[in-house]
Amino acid sequence: MIRSSGLWSALAGRASQAVLVAVVVGVVSFSMMQALPGDSAYRIAAGRYGYDMMDAASADVVRTELGLDKPTSVQLANWLGSLARLDLGKSAVTGNAVADELKVQLGHSLLLAGAGILVSLIIAVPIGIAAGLRPGGALDRITLGASIVLRAVPAFALGVLLMLALAVHIKLLPVAGFQSPKHLILPALTLGLGLAAVSSRVVRDAVSEAMAADWQLFSRTKGLSSGQTLRRHVLRNATLPVIAYIGVQLAYVIEGVVIVESVFAWPGIGHALVHAIFGRDVAMVQGTALALGLTYVVLNLIIDLCCHGIDPRRRSIT
Amino acid sequence: MLKALALTMVATGMLTSQISIAADKTQLNISSPWEIASYEPSVSGFAFYRLGVMETLVDATVEGVLEPGLATAWEMSDDGLSWRFSLRNGVSFHDGSPLTAQIAAAALQRAFANPGMLKKAPISAIEADQDDVVISLDRPFAALPALLTHNTTVIAAPAAINEDGAHIAAIGTGPFAVDTFTPPQSLDVKRFEDYWGDKAQLEKVSYLAAGRAETRALLAESGDADLVFSLDPSGYARLTGIDSVETRAVPIPRVVALKLNAGHSFLEDPRARNALSLAIDRIGIATAITRFPEATASQLFPPALDQWHSKELQPLKQDIEAAKALLAELGWVAGDDGILSRNDERFSLLLRTFPDRPELPLIAAALQAQWREIGVELNISVSSYSEIPAGHKDGSLHVALYARNYGLTPDPIGTVLQDFGPGGGDWGAMNWENTEVAQALQAIAATDDQAKRDADIATVVKTLQAELPLIPIVWYQHTVSVAKGLQGYVVDPLERKYRLNNISWSAE
């Protein structure tokens, strides 16, 4: 009883948060686009026609077509009205429905981000546990060094290095593109290594803290073997901060995705957002920011639910 | 766990790469920096045209000579005010529907209603007349067939257009039909078996837009892409040493130039513009930044435009002392910090440029240092390129640096007329008008008799070189990496199309 009511209130909280995020993100991204200097009709015409064909006449065509001469309050009200009808409008640059573009791009980005997080866990969890079991040992110090180096290398440089090593020299993987599953491996590795650099240290700290806890000693005293203690108590306790940290890492994933996507020619949402900002494609910026904002809300909800499932104390308190 | 993953990765990698080795030889992979945003010809016509999906009424050879496309013949009326294009018979679109004059005329009407190449011609009407398309003009314009080679004038099937007139698919008449399209990154096309002309030998072609030059160079080096366009200097140098690819650089009619506001009090005298030109170390810029010293611009039109490139002109060159003397003649005196001043006004200008072509901000920085030598202070604003036409329109522009393509069509008169004709152009002269040049350009536009045009072209290039409404700096080289074993690929200096139906793999 207590358990399900806690769950429902968490869901209700996140749902109202989602509505708030939608409105705030829409209004803020609209105002930011309005605040940018320069005439947006010119920028949109540039995004559409390229500089060989773009001129003042084409900017005037764009202005009339998109109604950019209308007051900004009318433009914003139109967008909010459409949003209430679940219509994100049309891209000013491509003329396609924003929702259709997002379907393709958000899908590709989530796939890449998910694969990146998976790679980071595959690397970070075993290394973090091994390092955390012997804090200060050789492995701990080596992995600390590696983690600092990897975090310091920008995703762009790491991506190019991995392309050189794994695609050009040993020809194991394709350099860039997105058409087949093997195209996913290099960008996921680029993203995953950057994430693992930090999350391996979080795992290591959580494990070493759990190993030093009183209950760990108690569990050994009551007769559990070190392996049993590790599996039943240490890992379960150490998982909580790690899962919470993955939630925090999502911010880095989105930041990393923008760069990794353009290096690997991956048709994702980060890449689309950057182009939309350059092209003053307000509907597309709003749609993209909205999709990213809502993704955060959903992922945070999933993290809440995971923590809820792992930690029995939360259930009894709420 | 890790070992198992690594093994699976290696296994899938080996498996898939073996499959791709067995499957290639009728497949071609292309990579270039240009993204394909939508189906709209005014936005993405270049890609559908280059990949052989869409076609135009008029075609052109690599040398720029016009040849029949979807129209087999064309003729101008005696008064020069009407053009009749006879349509090819038996042409069908990729969806099986036949090409008719009505469809072609409707496509050209849409092209004329949107920004694009047809806007450069004085068109009053586009109509279908039986099997012909008839285009009426307000005044003679002999270069009309050349404009109809441009990718914004492609002919799409009616099924590709919705009731609002928007393109929702790319259904053309070319040797390749769209297979899958993932905007903005990739387009896969497959051979169209019912093509009216020479059928392609390749079965499938994949196009990947890779914005980063580093990525493209590695795609070429690894063999993931067989044709890679637009390499940066370091990538080009690296690929030159790789055995599996051949690098080619051909001069194209694109020129990096400075646009000057000739209405600005500092720049209105041609001597001031000449002084700024004399201060520029073009060889240094071409050697250190664009890295093709042979592409130093001695005049506006590059040798690739052989009818417009003049061998008689005195080449532009650097002469700091002559530049200083010209400015002194105009009353400029050096101040304490070395910057010139006149009537309490500092010789300070703002240059607008943009980062989309990465060499432009570097060239701007070089100009800043070079003009400092003659006492001219140059501030640089790197922003969107749309700031240049915007500044032209509101008159706030001083100097702009950009790359202008005079090879959009085989005959550049449409672009030249727009840039240097009456009133100047967004990407051409600003507050500069020359009656002789304007009359010569109108005369060139009105005739296709080369002998008559030559004298007028000579007048135009001579005046542009003397008056410098635009200061040319370097010409462009189009760089391509071609995989060894690819036959029949010819680099198109006009960057119009890839001519994929002439390409095949040699049997090893």
mmCIF file of all heavy atoms in Angstrom, chain B residues 125-167:
data_model
loop_
_atom_site.group_PDB
_atom_site.id
_atom_site.type_symbol
_atom_site.label_atom_id
_atom_site.label_comp_id
_atom_site.label_asym_id
_atom_site.label_seq_id
_atom_site.Cartn_x
_atom_site.Cartn_y
_atom_site.Cartn_z
ATOM 1 N N ALA B 125 6.910 34.703 -68.630
ATOM 2 C CA ALA B 125 5.964 33.584 -68.588
ATOM 3 C C ALA B 125 6.651 32.276 -68.948
ATOM 4 O O ALA B 125 7.626 32.264 -69.715
ATOM 5 C CB ALA B 125 4.813 33.839 -69.545
ATOM 6 N N ILE B 126 6.135 31.184 -68.369
ATOM 7 C CA ILE B 126 6.623 29.843 -68.710
ATOM 8 C C ILE B 126 5.373 29.021 -69.030
ATOM 9 O O ILE B 126 4.478 28.904 -68.187
ATOM 10 C CB ILE B 126 7.383 29.206 -67.525
ATOM 11 C CG1 ILE B 126 8.566 30.082 -67.123
ATOM 12 C CG2 ILE B 126 7.837 27.786 -67.877
ATOM 13 C CD1 ILE B 126 9.246 29.649 -65.839
ATOM 14 N N GLU B 127 5.296 28.491 -70.260
ATOM 15 C CA GLU B 127 4.080 27.765 -70.654
ATOM 16 C C GLU B 127 4.438 26.500 -71.416
ATOM 17 O O GLU B 127 5.526 26.392 -71.983
ATOM 18 C CB GLU B 127 3.221 28.640 -71.571
ATOM 19 C CG GLU B 127 2.545 29.784 -70.870
ATOM 20 C CD GLU B 127 2.389 30.989 -71.786
ATOM 21 O OE1 GLU B 127 3.129 31.090 -72.784
ATOM 22 O OE2 GLU B 127 1.515 31.807 -71.496
ATOM 23 N N ALA B 128 3.468 25.569 -71.440
ATOM 24 C CA ALA B 128 3.616 24.375 -72.263
ATOM 25 C C ALA B 128 2.871 24.624 -73.567
ATOM 26 O O ALA B 128 1.789 25.207 -73.568
ATOM 27 C CB ALA B 128 3.027 23.180 -71.546
ATOM 28 N N ASP B 129 3.478 24.206 -74.696
ATOM 29 C CA ASP B 129 2.805 24.319 -75.987
ATOM 30 C C ASP B 129 3.047 22.995 -76.703
ATOM 31 O O ASP B 129 4.144 22.745 -77.203
ATOM 32 C CB ASP B 129 3.391 25.507 -76.761
ATOM 33 C CG ASP B 129 2.731 25.658 -78.119
ATOM 34 O OD1 ASP B 129 1.617 25.132 -78.295
ATOM 35 O OD2 ASP B 129 3.358 26.283 -78.995
ATOM 36 N N GLN B 130 2.022 22.140 -76.739
ATOM 37 C CA GLN B 130 2.144 20.764 -77.239
ATOM 38 C C GLN B 130 3.318 20.055 -76.569
ATOM 39 O O GLN B 130 3.320 19.895 -75.363
ATOM 40 C CB GLN B 130 2.238 20.770 -78.764
ATOM 41 C CG GLN B 130 0.912 21.181 -79.387
ATOM 42 C CD GLN B 130 1.015 21.420 -80.869
ATOM 43 O OE1 GLN B 130 2.040 21.160 -81.505
ATOM 44 N NE2 GLN B 130 -0.061 21.915 -81.436
ATOM 45 N N ASP B 131 4.359 19.682 -77.365
ATOM 46 C CA ASP B 131 5.479 18.966 -76.744
ATOM 47 C C ASP B 131 6.629 19.903 -76.379
ATOM 48 O O ASP B 131 7.735 19.448 -76.099
ATOM 49 C CB ASP B 131 5.989 17.879 -77.701
ATOM 50 C CG ASP B 131 5.009 16.718 -77.778
ATOM 51 O OD1 ASP B 131 4.182 16.587 -76.843
ATOM 52 O OD2 ASP B 131 5.051 15.969 -78.767
ATOM 53 N N ASP B 132 6.371 21.188 -76.392
ATOM 54 C CA ASP B 132 7.439 22.152 -76.125
ATOM 55 C C ASP B 132 7.160 22.958 -74.853
ATOM 56 O O ASP B 132 6.007 23.125 -74.458
ATOM 57 C CB ASP B 132 7.564 23.155 -77.280
ATOM 58 C CG ASP B 132 7.918 22.462 -78.595
ATOM 59 O OD1 ASP B 132 8.368 21.298 -78.535
ATOM 60 O OD2 ASP B 132 7.733 23.091 -79.637
ATOM 61 N N VAL B 133 8.240 23.443 -74.263
ATOM 62 C CA VAL B 133 8.099 24.411 -73.172
ATOM 63 C C VAL B 133 8.532 25.757 -73.738
ATOM 64 O O VAL B 133 9.610 25.853 -74.352
ATOM 65 C CB VAL B 133 8.986 24.034 -71.972
ATOM 66 C CG1 VAL B 133 8.967 25.131 -70.921
ATOM 67 C CG2 VAL B 133 8.520 22.719 -71.364
ATOM 68 N N VAL B 134 7.680 26.769 -73.582
ATOM 69 C CA VAL B 134 8.001 28.081 -74.142
ATOM 70 C C VAL B 134 8.201 29.068 -72.996
ATOM 71 O O VAL B 134 7.360 29.188 -72.101
ATOM 72 C CB VAL B 134 6.867 28.573 -75.066
ATOM 73 C CG1 VAL B 134 7.202 29.959 -75.613
ATOM 74 C CG2 VAL B 134 6.645 27.584 -76.192
ATOM 75 N N ILE B 135 9.346 29.734 -73.003
ATOM 76 C CA ILE B 135 9.656 30.718 -71.960
ATOM 77 C C ILE B 135 9.715 32.092 -72.614
ATOM 78 O O ILE B 135 10.469 32.301 -73.567
ATOM 79 C CB ILE B 135 10.988 30.391 -71.257
ATOM 80 C CG1 ILE B 135 10.870 29.012 -70.579
ATOM 81 C CG2 ILE B 135 11.335 31.466 -70.223
ATOM 82 C CD1 ILE B 135 12.117 28.572 -69.844
ATOM 83 N N SER B 136 8.875 33.019 -72.135
ATOM 84 C CA SER B 136 8.870 34.374 -72.685
ATOM 85 C C SER B 136 9.659 35.304 -71.777
ATOM 86 O O SER B 136 9.666 35.134 -70.553
ATOM 87 C CB SER B 136 7.440 34.890 -72.782
ATOM 88 O OG SER B 136 6.624 33.906 -73.361
ATOM 89 N N LEU B 137 10.311 36.273 -72.398
ATOM 90 C CA LEU B 137 11.199 37.184 -71.660
ATOM 91 C C LEU B 137 10.758 38.635 -71.845
ATOM 92 O O LEU B 137 10.090 38.970 -72.830
ATOM 93 C CB LEU B 137 12.631 37.041 -72.181
ATOM 94 C CG LEU B 137 13.258 35.656 -72.124
ATOM 95 C CD1 LEU B 137 14.604 35.675 -72.829
ATOM 96 C CD2 LEU B 137 13.439 35.213 -70.675
ATOM 97 N N ASP B 138 11.145 39.482 -70.902
ATOM 98 C CA ASP B 138 10.895 40.915 -71.031
ATOM 99 C C ASP B 138 11.894 41.567 -71.970
ATOM 100 O O ASP B 138 11.620 42.585 -72.597
ATOM 101 C CB ASP B 138 10.983 41.594 -69.661
ATOM 102 C CG ASP B 138 9.846 41.160 -68.765
ATOM 103 O OD1 ASP B 138 8.752 40.898 -69.300
ATOM 104 O OD2 ASP B 138 10.057 41.062 -67.537
ATOM 105 N N ARG B 139 13.124 41.025 -71.987
ATOM 106 C CA ARG B 139 14.149 41.534 -72.909
ATOM 107 C C ARG B 139 15.060 40.356 -73.257
ATOM 108 O O ARG B 139 15.050 39.341 -72.550
ATOM 109 C CB ARG B 139 14.937 42.683 -72.270
ATOM 110 C CG ARG B 139 15.546 42.386 -70.951
ATOM 111 C CD ARG B 139 16.357 43.536 -70.384
ATOM 112 N NE ARG B 139 17.007 43.042 -69.171
ATOM 113 C CZ ARG B 139 16.412 42.980 -67.994
ATOM 114 N NH1 ARG B 139 15.169 43.400 -67.836
ATOM 115 N NH2 ARG B 139 17.048 42.475 -66.944
ATOM 116 N N PRO B 140 15.793 40.457 -74.359
ATOM 117 C CA PRO B 140 16.593 39.294 -74.784
ATOM 118 C C PRO B 140 17.569 38.832 -73.701
ATOM 119 O O PRO B 140 18.179 39.665 -73.005
ATOM 120 C CB PRO B 140 17.348 39.828 -76.005
ATOM 121 C CG PRO B 140 16.530 40.955 -76.509
ATOM 122 C CD PRO B 140 15.910 41.591 -75.295
ATOM 123 N N PHE B 141 17.695 37.527 -73.547
ATOM 124 C CA PHE B 141 18.627 36.975 -72.568
ATOM 125 C C PHE B 141 19.154 35.663 -73.146
ATOM 126 O O PHE B 141 18.530 34.606 -73.025
ATOM 127 C CB PHE B 141 17.919 36.760 -71.236
ATOM 128 C CG PHE B 141 18.860 36.412 -70.115
ATOM 129 C CD1 PHE B 141 19.584 37.406 -69.463
ATOM 130 C CD2 PHE B 141 19.045 35.098 -69.726
ATOM 131 C CE1 PHE B 141 20.456 37.090 -68.429
ATOM 132 C CE2 PHE B 141 19.920 34.774 -68.691
ATOM 133 C CZ PHE B 141 20.620 35.778 -68.051
ATOM 134 N N ALA B 142 20.322 35.756 -73.796
ATOM 135 C CA ALA B 142 20.823 34.611 -74.552
ATOM 136 C C ALA B 142 21.303 33.472 -73.666
ATOM 137 O O ALA B 142 21.434 32.338 -74.109
ATOM 138 C CB ALA B 142 21.961 35.068 -75.462
ATOM 139 N N ALA B 143 21.581 33.768 -72.387
ATOM 140 C CA ALA B 143 22.125 32.738 -71.501
ATOM 141 C C ALA B 143 21.028 31.899 -70.861
ATOM 142 O O ALA B 143 21.311 31.098 -69.974
ATOM 143 C CB ALA B 143 23.005 33.384 -70.439
ATOM 144 N N LEU B 144 19.774 32.050 -71.295
ATOM 145 C CA LEU B 144 18.691 31.289 -70.658
ATOM 146 C C LEU B 144 18.942 29.775 -70.657
ATOM 147 O O LEU B 144 18.783 29.136 -69.607
ATOM 148 C CB LEU B 144 17.352 31.623 -71.320
ATOM 149 C CG LEU B 144 16.158 30.954 -70.653
ATOM 150 C CD1 LEU B 144 15.888 31.550 -69.277
ATOM 151 C CD2 LEU B 144 14.912 31.063 -71.507
ATOM 152 N N PRO B 145 19.357 29.167 -71.792
ATOM 153 C CA PRO B 145 19.617 27.721 -71.739
ATOM 154 C C PRO B 145 20.669 27.358 -70.691
ATOM 155 O O PRO B 145 20.560 26.311 -70.037
ATOM 156 C CB PRO B 145 20.095 27.388 -73.157
ATOM 157 C CG PRO B 145 19.514 28.464 -74.010
ATOM 158 C CD PRO B 145 19.513 29.701 -73.157
ATOM 159 N N ALA B 146 21.661 28.230 -70.498
ATOM 160 C CA ALA B 146 22.699 27.944 -69.488
ATOM 161 C C ALA B 146 22.093 27.938 -68.089
ATOM 162 O O ALA B 146 22.465 27.121 -67.237
ATOM 163 C CB ALA B 146 23.824 28.972 -69.581
ATOM 164 N N LEU B 147 21.126 28.839 -67.837
ATOM 165 C CA LEU B 147 20.486 28.852 -66.519
ATOM 166 C C LEU B 147 19.714 27.556 -66.290
ATOM 167 O O LEU B 147 19.592 27.079 -65.169
ATOM 168 C CB LEU B 147 19.515 30.032 -66.380
ATOM 169 C CG LEU B 147 20.082 31.445 -66.469
ATOM 170 C CD1 LEU B 147 19.031 32.444 -66.013
ATOM 171 C CD2 LEU B 147 21.344 31.602 -65.634
ATOM 172 N N LEU B 148 19.184 26.982 -67.388
ATOM 173 C CA LEU B 148 18.380 25.762 -67.257
ATOM 174 C C LEU B 148 19.237 24.514 -67.040
ATOM 175 O O LEU B 148 18.734 23.400 -67.029
ATOM 176 C CB LEU B 148 17.490 25.587 -68.482
ATOM 177 C CG LEU B 148 16.339 26.599 -68.551
ATOM 178 C CD1 LEU B 148 15.604 26.487 -69.871
ATOM 179 C CD2 LEU B 148 15.368 26.406 -67.397
ATOM 180 N N THR B 149 20.554 24.690 -66.893
ATOM 181 C CA THR B 149 21.393 23.558 -66.481
ATOM 182 C C THR B 149 21.501 23.522 -64.962
ATOM 183 O O THR B 149 22.080 22.600 -64.408
ATOM 184 C CB THR B 149 22.821 23.680 -67.037
ATOM 185 O OG1 THR B 149 23.414 24.858 -66.466
ATOM 186 C CG2 THR B 149 22.851 23.783 -68.543
ATOM 187 N N HIS B 150 20.984 24.541 -64.280
ATOM 188 C CA HIS B 150 21.220 24.630 -62.837
ATOM 189 C C HIS B 150 20.286 23.717 -62.047
ATOM 190 O O HIS B 150 19.141 23.483 -62.445
ATOM 191 C CB HIS B 150 21.060 26.081 -62.361
ATOM 192 C CG HIS B 150 21.569 26.284 -60.965
ATOM 193 N ND1 HIS B 150 20.727 26.436 -59.894
ATOM 194 C CD2 HIS B 150 22.828 26.305 -60.475
ATOM 195 C CE1 HIS B 150 21.458 26.567 -58.798
ATOM 196 N NE2 HIS B 150 22.733 26.503 -59.125
ATOM 197 N N ASN B 151 20.783 23.243 -60.906
ATOM 198 C CA ASN B 151 20.035 22.251 -60.129
ATOM 199 C C ASN B 151 18.765 22.793 -59.480
ATOM 200 O O ASN B 151 17.971 22.014 -58.951
ATOM 201 C CB ASN B 151 20.949 21.607 -59.092
ATOM 202 C CG ASN B 151 21.543 22.629 -58.149
ATOM 203 O OD1 ASN B 151 20.840 23.422 -57.562
ATOM 204 N ND2 ASN B 151 22.868 22.609 -58.002
ATOM 205 N N THR B 152 18.556 24.120 -59.487
ATOM 206 C CA THR B 152 17.276 24.610 -58.961
ATOM 207 C C THR B 152 16.183 24.515 -60.030
ATOM 208 O O THR B 152 15.029 24.831 -59.761
ATOM 209 C CB THR B 152 17.378 26.073 -58.475
ATOM 210 O OG1 THR B 152 17.947 26.859 -59.513
ATOM 211 C CG2 THR B 152 18.215 26.192 -57.230
ATOM 212 N N THR B 153 16.541 24.073 -61.258
ATOM 213 C CA THR B 153 15.538 23.987 -62.328
ATOM 214 C C THR B 153 15.225 22.535 -62.697
ATOM 215 O O THR B 153 14.792 22.253 -63.804
ATOM 216 C CB THR B 153 16.009 24.732 -63.598
ATOM 217 O OG1 THR B 153 17.119 24.009 -64.175
ATOM 218 C CG2 THR B 153 16.469 26.144 -63.292
ATOM 219 N N VAL B 154 15.461 21.606 -61.769
ATOM 220 C CA VAL B 154 15.205 20.186 -62.060
ATOM 221 C C VAL B 154 13.703 19.934 -62.226
ATOM 222 O O VAL B 154 12.870 20.668 -61.692
ATOM 223 C CB VAL B 154 15.761 19.268 -60.947
ATOM 224 C CG1 VAL B 154 17.270 19.277 -60.940
ATOM 225 C CG2 VAL B 154 15.199 19.642 -59.589
ATOM 226 N N ILE B 155 13.385 18.880 -62.980
ATOM 227 C CA ILE B 155 11.988 18.551 -63.263
ATOM 228 C C ILE B 155 11.579 17.345 -62.409
ATOM 229 O O ILE B 155 12.130 16.253 -62.557
ATOM 230 C CB ILE B 155 11.796 18.200 -64.758
ATOM 231 C CG1 ILE B 155 12.434 19.253 -65.658
ATOM 232 C CG2 ILE B 155 10.313 17.996 -65.069
ATOM 233 C CD1 ILE B 155 11.835 20.633 -65.593
ATOM 234 N N ALA B 156 10.605 17.574 -61.501
ATOM 235 C CA ALA B 156 10.150 16.500 -60.619
ATOM 236 C C ALA B 156 8.781 16.000 -61.077
ATOM 237 O O ALA B 156 8.018 16.728 -61.709
ATOM 238 C CB ALA B 156 10.049 17.017 -59.189
ATOM 239 N N ALA B 157 8.478 14.738 -60.743
ATOM 240 C CA ALA B 157 7.188 14.143 -61.108
ATOM 241 C C ALA B 157 6.080 14.783 -60.276
ATOM 242 O O ALA B 157 6.302 15.166 -59.123
ATOM 243 C CB ALA B 157 7.225 12.646 -60.861
ATOM 244 N N PRO B 158 4.850 14.876 -60.834
ATOM 245 C CA PRO B 158 3.740 15.481 -60.082
ATOM 246 C C PRO B 158 3.479 14.752 -58.752
ATOM 247 O O PRO B 158 3.103 15.382 -57.767
ATOM 248 C CB PRO B 158 2.541 15.323 -61.020
ATOM 249 C CG PRO B 158 3.118 15.113 -62.367
ATOM 250 C CD PRO B 158 4.456 14.489 -62.198
ATOM 251 N N ALA B 159 3.737 13.436 -58.720
ATOM 252 C CA ALA B 159 3.467 12.675 -57.494
ATOM 253 C C ALA B 159 4.374 13.097 -56.343
ATOM 254 O O ALA B 159 4.106 12.774 -55.183
ATOM 255 C CB ALA B 159 3.645 11.186 -57.770
ATOM 256 N N ALA B 160 5.457 13.821 -56.655
ATOM 257 C CA ALA B 160 6.400 14.226 -55.614
ATOM 258 C C ALA B 160 5.971 15.520 -54.928
ATOM 259 O O ALA B 160 6.622 15.973 -53.995
ATOM 260 C CB ALA B 160 7.786 14.405 -56.223
ATOM 261 N N ILE B 161 4.864 16.089 -55.408
ATOM 262 C CA ILE B 161 4.463 17.404 -54.897
ATOM 263 C C ILE B 161 3.072 17.318 -54.280
ATOM 264 O O ILE B 161 2.169 16.719 -54.877
ATOM 265 C CB ILE B 161 4.469 18.424 -56.064
ATOM 266 C CG1 ILE B 161 5.893 18.515 -56.624
ATOM 267 C CG2 ILE B 161 4.017 19.806 -55.611
ATOM 268 C CD1 ILE B 161 5.947 18.651 -58.086
ATOM 269 N N ASN B 162 2.907 17.880 -53.100
ATOM 270 C CA ASN B 162 1.591 17.804 -52.453
ATOM 271 C C ASN B 162 0.711 18.988 -52.871
ATOM 272 O O ASN B 162 1.112 19.837 -53.668
ATOM 273 C CB ASN B 162 1.733 17.688 -50.928
ATOM 274 C CG ASN B 162 2.227 18.978 -50.287
ATOM 275 O OD1 ASN B 162 2.349 20.014 -50.954
ATOM 276 N ND2 ASN B 162 2.518 18.919 -48.998
ATOM 277 N N GLU B 163 -0.497 19.035 -52.305
ATOM 278 C CA GLU B 163 -1.460 20.049 -52.758
ATOM 279 C C GLU B 163 -1.004 21.473 -52.417
ATOM 280 O O GLU B 163 -1.417 22.437 -53.078
ATOM 281 C CB GLU B 163 -2.870 19.754 -52.195
ATOM 282 C CG GLU B 163 -2.994 19.749 -50.688
ATOM 283 C CD GLU B 163 -2.600 18.405 -50.061
ATOM 284 O OE1 GLU B 163 -1.973 17.548 -50.728
ATOM 285 O OE2 GLU B 163 -2.897 18.216 -48.868
ATOM 286 N N ASP B 164 -0.091 21.622 -51.424
ATOM 287 C CA ASP B 164 0.421 22.966 -51.100
ATOM 288 C C ASP B 164 1.591 23.369 -51.997
ATOM 289 O O ASP B 164 2.192 24.425 -51.799
ATOM 290 C CB ASP B 164 0.911 23.023 -49.640
ATOM 291 C CG ASP B 164 -0.181 22.625 -48.668
ATOM 292 O OD1 ASP B 164 -1.359 22.853 -49.001
ATOM 293 O OD2 ASP B 164 0.154 22.079 -47.589
ATOM 294 N N GLY B 165 1.965 22.500 -52.929
ATOM 295 C CA GLY B 165 3.097 22.815 -53.796
ATOM 296 C C GLY B 165 4.440 22.461 -53.174
ATOM 297 O O GLY B 165 5.481 22.812 -53.709
ATOM 298 N N ALA B 166 4.429 21.746 -52.035
ATOM 299 C CA ALA B 166 5.696 21.382 -51.386
ATOM 300 C C ALA B 166 6.153 20.013 -51.890
ATOM 301 O O ALA B 166 5.327 19.136 -52.165
ATOM 302 C CB ALA B 166 5.508 21.343 -49.879
ATOM 303 N N HIS B 167 7.468 19.863 -52.013
ATOM 304 C CA HIS B 167 8.009 18.577 -52.461
ATOM 305 C C HIS B 167 8.075 17.611 -51.278
ATOM 306 O O HIS B 167 8.690 17.906 -50.274
ATOM 307 C CB HIS B 167 9.396 18.779 -53.060
ATOM 308 C CG HIS B 167 9.358 19.423 -54.409
ATOM 309 N ND1 HIS B 167 9.645 18.760 -55.562
ATOM 310 C CD2 HIS B 167 9.019 20.681 -54.771
ATOM 311 C CE1 HIS B 167 9.494 19.576 -56.596
ATOM 312 N NE2 HIS B 167 9.126 20.754 -56.129
#
